[in-house]
Amino acid sequence: QYKEMVTKYRKEMALRKKLHNEIVDLKGSIRVFGRVRPIIHEDGGGEDSKVIASFDRDDDQLVYITNKGKQVEFQLDHLFKMDSKQDEVFREMRDLIVSVVDGFNICIFAYGQTGSGKTFTMDGSDEHPGLNRRSLSELFGVIEERKVDWSFELEVSVLE
C-alpha cells in the first residue's frame, strides 16, 4: 500500500509540474511588467513633480506616458499602478519562482532611470519586503515542502 501511495503521489507531482509549466509557457517565457511609482517628497514640487503616466480605463495593460507634450502608448503583460503593493507584484511573479524548483532557469530584473523605484521593488523595506526577499522565502518554502522526496541544488546570482 505504501508503494502504491508513493506511485500515485509521484504521478500527481508530475501532472502538477506539467500543468504548471504549460501555464508558464502560455503566459510566455518573456514577460514585461511595468510599475508606476507614486510621486514622493524627493520629486519636489511644480513642473518637475507632474504625473506623466496615465492609464486606459478599459485595458489594464496599457499605460500612456506624456513627454514634451507628446503621448506615447505602451502595452505590457501586466501594469502595476501607483497604489500597487509589494505583495501584488510578488503574486504575479510567484509562478516563476515555483518553476525554479521544477528545474527552469529564470531571471527577474528591474530597469529604469535613477529614482524610478527599482531598488524598492526588488529589495523593499523591512515592513514591505521586495521581490528578492519574498522570492527566496517562497523558494526555500517550496523546497522545504518537497525535501522528503527530492534533493535540490541552487545557484543564485545578484548583480546591481
Side-chain angles (χ1 to χ4, degrees):
Q1 190 175 19
Y2 174 75
K3 281 186 175 184
E4 183 181 331
M5 293 292 285
V6 169
T7 302
K8 285 182 179 180
Y9 175 74
R10 289 201 171 138
K11 274 179 121 174
E12 288 300 315
M13 287 291 289
L15 178 61
R16 187 211 56 80
K17 180 178 177 179
K18 178 182 177 286
L19 293 174
H20 170 78
N21 292 324
E22 284 178 8
I23 289 170
V24 171
D25 284 345
L26 287 172
K27 285 186 170 184
S29 58
I30 297 176
R31 289 178 248 163
V32 179
F33 296 159
R35 186 175 191 184
V36 179
R37 75 156 174 79
I39 292 178
I40 57 176
H41 182 276
E42 289 83 355
D43 289 334
E47 281 296 306
D48 290 341
S49 65
K50 188 168 76 174
V51 175
I52 63 166
S54 58
F55 309 99
D56 192 289
R57 276 187 242 160
D58 300 319
D59 189 339
D60 62 359
Q61 295 179 324
L62 292 178
V63 61
Y64 304 100
I65 305 297
T66 305
N67 187 18
K68 298 179 183 173
K70 186 176 180 182
Q71 190 176 67
V72 181
E73 175 185 295
F74 294 93
Q75 184 171 3
L76 309 165
D77 292 305
H78 192 89
L79 178 62
F80 299 98
K81 296 182 180 174
M82 290 181 242
D83 60 349
S84 66
K85 305 291 182 223
Q86 295 285 67
D87 62 324
E88 290 176 62
V89 177
F90 177 71
R91 276 196 305 269
E92 284 297 315
M93 306 291 173
R94 186 183 181 282
D95 288 343
L96 292 174
I97 305 308
V98 173
S99 69
V100 167
V101 178
D102 292 335
F104 292 90
N105 295 321
I106 68 163
C107 175
I108 299 172
F109 73 93
Y111 176 82
Q113 69 187 51
T114 300
S116 61
K118 300 177 300 294
T119 301
F120 181 73
T121 296
M122 296 304 286
D123 293 339
S125 63
D126 289 339
E127 301 82 34
H128 307 286
L131 286 176
N132 291 341
R133 287 193 260 176
R134 289 174 190 263
S135 297
L136 289 172
S137 178
E138 180 73 17
L139 182 61
F140 290 121
V142 172
I143 287 171
E144 185 66 28
E145 289 173 8
R146 299 183 188 181
K147 75 178 184 181
V148 173
D149 297 308
W150 305 95
S151 63
F152 296 93
E153 183 178 318
L154 298 176
E155 185 177 317
V156 178
S157 300
V158 177
L159 176 67
E160 184 166 339

